[in-house]
Protein backbone atom coordinates (compact mmCIF):
# COMPACT_ATOMS: atom_id res chain seq x y z
CA UNK A 1 0.00 0.00 0.00
CA UNK A 2 1.61 3.30 -1.03
CA UNK A 3 2.40 5.73 1.75
CA UNK A 4 -0.50 8.21 1.63
CA UNK A 5 -1.51 10.45 4.53
CA UNK A 6 -4.79 12.37 4.57
CA UNK A 7 -4.74 15.63 6.53
CA UNK A 8 -8.18 17.29 6.87
CA UNK A 9 -7.91 21.08 7.24
CA UNK A 10 -10.04 22.34 10.13
CA UNK A 11 -10.49 25.67 8.38
CA UNK A 12 -13.51 24.06 6.71
CA UNK A 13 -14.86 22.47 9.92
CA UNK A 14 -17.74 24.02 11.87
CA UNK A 15 -15.98 26.47 14.24
CA UNK A 16 -18.82 26.15 16.73
CA UNK A 17 -18.38 22.38 16.77
CA UNK A 18 -14.66 21.95 16.29
CA UNK A 19 -14.20 19.14 18.80
CA UNK A 20 -17.12 17.20 17.30
CA UNK A 21 -15.80 17.59 13.74
CA UNK A 22 -12.23 16.66 14.70
CA UNK A 23 -13.43 13.52 16.47
CA UNK A 24 -15.52 12.66 13.40
CA UNK A 25 -12.59 12.88 10.97
CA UNK A 26 -10.44 10.89 13.37
CA UNK A 27 -13.07 8.15 13.54
CA UNK A 28 -13.44 8.35 9.75
CA UNK A 29 -9.80 7.35 9.15
CA UNK A 30 -7.84 10.61 8.82
CA UNK A 31 -4.09 10.39 9.50
CA UNK A 32 -3.22 13.99 10.34
CA UNK A 33 -5.14 17.10 11.34
CA UNK A 34 -4.11 20.20 9.36
CA UNK A 35 -4.25 23.43 11.36
CA UNK A 36 -3.85 26.66 9.35
CA UNK A 37 -2.40 29.58 11.29
CA UNK A 38 -2.87 32.96 9.57
CA UNK A 39 -1.68 36.35 10.77
CA UNK A 40 -3.47 38.85 8.49
CA UNK A 41 -0.05 39.92 7.24
CA UNK A 42 1.63 37.09 5.36
CA UNK A 43 -1.86 36.20 4.14
CA UNK A 44 -4.95 38.45 4.03
CA UNK A 45 -6.91 36.48 6.61
CA UNK A 46 -6.89 35.52 10.29
CA UNK A 47 -7.46 32.13 11.87
CA UNK A 48 -6.23 30.64 15.14
CA UNK A 49 -3.53 31.05 17.75
CA UNK A 50 -1.59 28.28 19.52
CA UNK A 51 -4.40 27.97 22.09
CA UNK A 52 -6.48 26.09 19.51
CA UNK A 53 -3.62 23.63 19.01
CA UNK A 54 -3.32 22.98 22.74
CA UNK A 55 -7.08 22.64 23.12
CA UNK A 56 -7.22 20.09 20.30
CA UNK A 57 -4.13 18.27 21.62
CA UNK A 58 -6.25 17.21 24.58
CA UNK A 59 -9.04 15.91 22.35
CA UNK A 60 -7.39 13.91 19.58
CA UNK A 61 -4.56 11.48 18.96
CA UNK A 62 -4.22 12.62 15.31
CA UNK A 63 -0.86 13.99 14.19
CA UNK A 64 -1.19 17.79 14.53
CA UNK A 65 0.09 19.23 11.25
CA UNK A 66 0.53 22.97 11.87
CA UNK A 67 0.87 25.21 8.80
CA UNK A 68 2.22 28.62 9.83
CA UNK A 69 1.15 31.24 7.28
CA UNK A 70 2.72 34.03 9.31
CA UNK A 71 5.48 36.57 8.85
CA UNK A 72 8.55 35.89 11.03
CA UNK A 73 7.43 32.40 12.06
CA UNK A 74 10.59 32.03 14.19
CA UNK A 75 8.82 34.08 16.87
CA UNK A 76 6.05 31.52 17.27
CA UNK A 77 7.83 28.16 17.09
CA UNK A 78 8.20 27.66 20.86
CA UNK A 79 4.51 28.48 21.45
CA UNK A 80 3.30 25.94 18.93
CA UNK A 81 5.77 23.32 20.13
CA UNK A 82 4.55 23.73 23.70
CA UNK A 83 0.95 23.59 22.50
CA UNK A 84 1.59 20.09 21.16
CA UNK A 85 2.25 20.41 17.42
CA UNK A 86 3.74 17.27 15.86
CA UNK A 87 4.77 18.93 12.60
CA UNK A 88 5.45 22.64 12.12
CA UNK A 89 5.64 23.94 8.57
CA UNK A 90 6.93 27.45 7.83
CA UNK A 91 6.90 29.45 4.61
CA UNK A 92 10.19 30.13 2.85
CA UNK A 93 8.76 33.51 1.76
CA UNK A 94 8.04 34.57 5.35
CA UNK A 95 11.21 33.72 7.25
CA UNK A 96 14.54 35.52 7.62
CA UNK A 97 16.72 32.55 8.55
CA UNK A 98 15.16 29.50 6.91
CA UNK A 99 17.79 26.94 7.89
CA UNK A 100 18.17 28.27 11.45
CA UNK A 101 14.40 28.20 12.03
CA UNK A 102 14.07 24.67 10.67
CA UNK A 103 16.98 23.57 12.89
CA UNK A 104 15.23 25.14 15.85
CA UNK A 105 12.02 23.20 15.13
CA UNK A 106 14.02 19.96 14.87
CA UNK A 107 15.88 20.71 18.12
CA UNK A 108 12.50 20.69 19.89
CA UNK A 109 11.89 17.12 18.72
CA UNK A 110 9.21 18.17 16.23
CA UNK A 111 9.00 17.39 12.52
CA UNK A 112 9.89 20.37 10.36
CA UNK A 113 8.29 21.38 7.08
CA UNK A 114 8.98 24.12 4.56
CA UNK A 115 6.25 25.51 2.34
CA UNK A 116 6.25 27.49 -0.88
CA UNK A 117 3.47 29.42 -2.60
CA UNK A 118 2.38 28.55 -6.17
CA UNK A 119 4.64 31.22 -7.68
CA UNK A 120 7.78 30.26 -5.74
CA UNK A 121 10.37 28.07 -7.40
CA UNK A 122 11.76 24.99 -5.65
CA UNK A 123 15.31 26.28 -6.21
CA UNK A 124 14.89 28.44 -3.06
CA UNK A 125 14.46 25.39 -0.83
CA UNK A 126 16.91 22.91 -2.35
CA UNK A 127 19.52 23.83 0.29
CA UNK A 128 17.30 22.73 3.17
CA UNK A 129 15.91 19.50 1.72
CA UNK A 130 18.43 17.52 3.79
CA UNK A 131 16.94 19.02 6.95
CA UNK A 132 13.16 18.86 6.49
CA UNK A 133 10.66 16.08 7.06
CA UNK A 134 8.18 17.50 4.58
CA UNK A 135 7.81 20.08 1.84
CA UNK A 136 4.36 21.66 1.55
CA UNK A 137 3.63 22.75 -1.99
CA UNK A 138 0.69 25.17 -2.05
CA UNK A 139 -1.75 24.37 -4.84
CA UNK A 140 -3.72 27.61 -4.25
CA UNK A 141 -2.64 31.06 -3.11
CA UNK A 142 -2.58 30.70 0.71
CA UNK A 143 -5.17 32.48 2.81
CA UNK A 144 -8.54 30.90 2.16
CA UNK A 145 -10.18 27.49 1.94
CA UNK A 146 -12.48 26.51 -0.88
CA UNK A 147 -10.36 27.70 -3.82
CA UNK A 148 -9.68 25.90 -7.13
CA UNK A 149 -6.70 23.53 -7.41
CA UNK A 150 -3.96 24.98 -9.63
CA UNK A 151 -2.97 22.23 -12.07
CA UNK A 152 -0.04 24.39 -13.15
CA UNK A 153 1.69 23.40 -9.88
CA UNK A 154 1.80 19.68 -10.85
CA UNK A 155 5.03 20.23 -12.74
CA UNK A 156 6.72 21.69 -9.66
CA UNK A 157 5.61 18.69 -7.56
CA UNK A 158 7.24 16.38 -10.11
CA UNK A 159 10.40 18.46 -10.14
CA UNK A 160 10.62 18.19 -6.35
CA UNK A 161 9.84 14.47 -6.42
CA UNK A 162 12.63 13.88 -8.94
CA UNK A 163 15.09 16.04 -6.99
CA UNK A 164 14.40 14.14 -3.75
CA UNK A 165 14.71 10.82 -5.52
CA UNK A 166 18.01 11.79 -7.12
CA UNK A 167 19.39 12.89 -3.76
CA UNK A 168 18.04 9.81 -1.96
CA UNK A 169 16.07 11.92 0.54
CA UNK A 170 12.98 10.49 2.26
CA UNK A 171 11.00 13.72 2.51
CA UNK A 172 7.20 13.80 2.37
CA UNK A 173 5.58 15.99 -0.27
CA UNK A 174 2.41 17.60 1.06
CA UNK A 175 -0.06 19.44 -1.14
CA UNK A 176 -2.62 21.93 0.12
CA UNK A 177 -5.50 23.74 -1.53
CA UNK A 178 -8.48 22.78 -3.65
CA UNK A 179 -7.93 19.01 -3.46
CA UNK A 180 -10.96 16.93 -4.44
CA UNK A 181 -11.71 13.35 -5.49
CA UNK A 182 -11.34 14.59 -9.10
CA UNK A 183 -7.82 16.00 -8.88
CA UNK A 184 -6.12 14.15 -5.96
CA UNK A 185 -4.68 11.60 -8.41
CA UNK A 186 -2.98 14.41 -10.39
CA UNK A 187 -1.20 15.50 -7.20
CA UNK A 188 -0.12 11.97 -6.23
CA UNK A 189 0.84 11.02 -9.78
CA UNK A 190 3.08 14.09 -9.73
CA UNK A 191 4.73 12.88 -6.50
CA UNK A 192 2.68 14.12 -3.52
CA UNK A 193 1.98 11.71 -0.64
CA UNK A 194 0.51 13.90 2.14
CA UNK A 195 -2.79 15.40 1.14
CA UNK A 196 -4.52 18.32 2.83
CA UNK A 197 -8.21 18.62 2.18
CA UNK A 198 -10.60 21.02 3.87
CA UNK A 199 -13.84 21.65 1.98
CA UNK A 200 -13.96 18.25 0.25
CA UNK A 201 -14.01 16.44 3.57
CA UNK A 202 -15.78 18.77 6.01
CA UNK A 203 -18.46 19.85 3.53
CA UNK A 204 -19.29 16.27 2.58
CA UNK A 205 -22.18 14.26 3.99
CA UNK A 206 -20.09 11.27 4.96
CA UNK A 207 -16.52 11.85 6.15
CA UNK A 208 -15.65 8.15 6.12
CA UNK A 209 -16.70 7.65 2.48
CA UNK A 210 -14.97 10.84 1.39
CA UNK A 211 -11.66 9.98 3.10
CA UNK A 212 -11.88 6.43 1.74
CA UNK A 213 -12.51 7.72 -1.81
CA UNK A 214 -9.74 10.32 -1.56
CA UNK A 215 -7.30 7.64 -0.41
CA UNK A 216 -8.28 5.23 -3.19
CA UNK A 217 -7.96 7.90 -5.86
CA UNK A 218 -4.62 8.98 -4.36
CA UNK A 219 -3.33 5.41 -4.60
CA UNK A 220 -4.46 5.24 -8.24
CA UNK A 221 -2.33 8.33 -8.94
CA UNK A 222 0.71 6.70 -7.30
CA UNK A 223 0.15 3.56 -9.39
CA UNK A 224 0.03 5.63 -12.59
CA UNK A 225 3.35 7.26 -11.65
CA UNK A 226 4.94 3.92 -10.79
CA UNK A 227 3.92 2.38 -14.10
CA UNK A 228 5.31 5.36 -16.05
CA UNK A 229 8.54 5.18 -13.95
CA UNK A 230 8.91 1.55 -15.03
CA UNK A 231 8.36 2.43 -18.70
CA UNK A 232 11.04 5.11 -18.51
CA UNK A 233 13.67 2.72 -17.13
C1 LIG B 1 -5.20 27.70 2.43
C2 LIG B 1 -4.98 26.69 3.54
C3 LIG B 1 -5.56 25.35 3.25
C4 LIG B 1 -7.05 25.30 3.13
C5 LIG B 1 -7.40 24.08 2.31
O1 LIG B 1 -4.43 28.82 2.70
O2 LIG B 1 -3.58 26.51 3.74
O3 LIG B 1 -5.12 24.40 4.23
O4 LIG B 1 -7.72 25.25 4.35
O5 LIG B 1 -8.77 24.05 2.16
P1 LIG B 1 -9.50 23.51 0.84
O6 LIG B 1 -9.23 22.04 0.77
O7 LIG B 1 -10.91 23.86 1.07
O8 LIG B 1 -8.88 24.25 -0.33
ZN1 LIG C 1 -2.79 24.80 5.00
Amino acid sequence: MPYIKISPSILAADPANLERDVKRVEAAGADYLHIDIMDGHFVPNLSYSSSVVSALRGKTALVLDVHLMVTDPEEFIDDFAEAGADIITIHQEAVKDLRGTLEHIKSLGIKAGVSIKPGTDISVITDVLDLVDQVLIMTVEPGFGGQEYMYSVDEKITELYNTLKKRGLAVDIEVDGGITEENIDDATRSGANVIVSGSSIFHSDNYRDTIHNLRNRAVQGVEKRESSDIQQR
Side-chain angles (χ1 to χ4, degrees):
M1 181 67 151
Y3 171 60
I4 296 290
K5 302 280 183 198
I6 304 286
S7 189
S9 168
I10 60 166
L11 210 54
D14 177 355
N17 288 290
L18 202 49
E19 178 181 354
R20 180 201 68 190
D21 282 4
V22 166
K23 288 190 165 154
R24 281 186 182 168
V25 285
E26 183 168 16
D31 302 291
Y32 292 178
L33 191 68
H34 188 80
I35 306 175
D36 287 307
I37 310 296
M38 305 183 185
D39 66 350
H41 186 259
F42 179 67
V43 289
N45 198 3
L46 293 167
S47 59
Y48 324 103
S49 72
S50 60
S51 60
V52 169
V53 175
S54 63
L56 291 176
R57 180 70 298 166
K59 305 289 181 191
T60 178
L62 288 169
V63 168
L64 299 184
D65 174 29
V66 174
H67 177 193
L68 291 185
M69 284 168 278
V70 305
T71 301
D72 296 334
E74 54 275 23
E75 291 175 20
F76 303 97
I77 302 303
D78 290 356
D79 273 4
F80 282 94
E82 246 166 69
D86 295 295
I87 307 171
I88 297 181
T89 296
I90 57 170
H91 270 265
Q92 180 276 335
E93 304 92 346
V95 67
K96 291 192 190 84
D97 176 10
L98 179 60
R99 193 171 186 89
T101 307
L102 291 168
E103 274 167 353
H104 181 58
I105 297 171
K106 299 286 288 182
S107 75
L108 299 169
I110 291 168
K111 289 192 172 174
V114 62
S115 182
I116 50 175
K117 299 201 276 187
T120 304
D121 201 88
I122 69 155
S123 61
V124 299
I125 56 164
T126 46
D127 281 358
V128 295
L129 293 179
D130 59 323
L131 189 60
V132 295
D133 298 285
Q134 75 175 16
V135 175
L136 168 50
I137 303 268
M138 289 305 300
T139 46
V140 298
E141 286 301 334
F144 300 91
Q147 302 182 74
E148 290 280 310
Y149 182 84
M150 294 168 69
Y151 286 92
S152 56
V153 179
D154 284 353
E155 229 172 276
K156 189 161 68 175
I157 302 169
T158 302
E159 191 188 345
L160 176 64
Y161 174 81
N162 289 334
T163 303
L164 291 170
K165 202 167 157 191
K166 217 181 287 165
R167 289 174 58 181
L169 295 170
V171 174
D172 287 325
I173 302 180
E174 183 172 48
V175 282
D176 182 8
I179 311 239
T180 64
E181 287 173 35
E182 281 68 50
N183 57 35
I184 191 169
D185 60 323
D186 290 281
T188 57
R189 187 177 50 199
S190 304
N193 69 302
V194 181
I195 313 296
V196 177
S197 178
S199 315
S200 293
I201 294 173
F202 285 108
H203 297 174
S204 72
D205 295 335
N206 185 319
Y207 296 175
R208 176 168 289 280
D209 286 353
T210 305
I211 291 173
H212 178 80
N213 293 343
L214 284 168
R215 203 184 291 282
N216 278 349
R217 296 279 295 149
V219 169
Q220 285 170 14
V222 173
E223 286 167 355
K224 277 186 218 159
R225 183 183 71 233
E226 284 171 350
S227 70
S228 75
D229 279 357
I230 290 167
Q231 279 161 21
Q232 279 166 24
R233 266 186 230 148

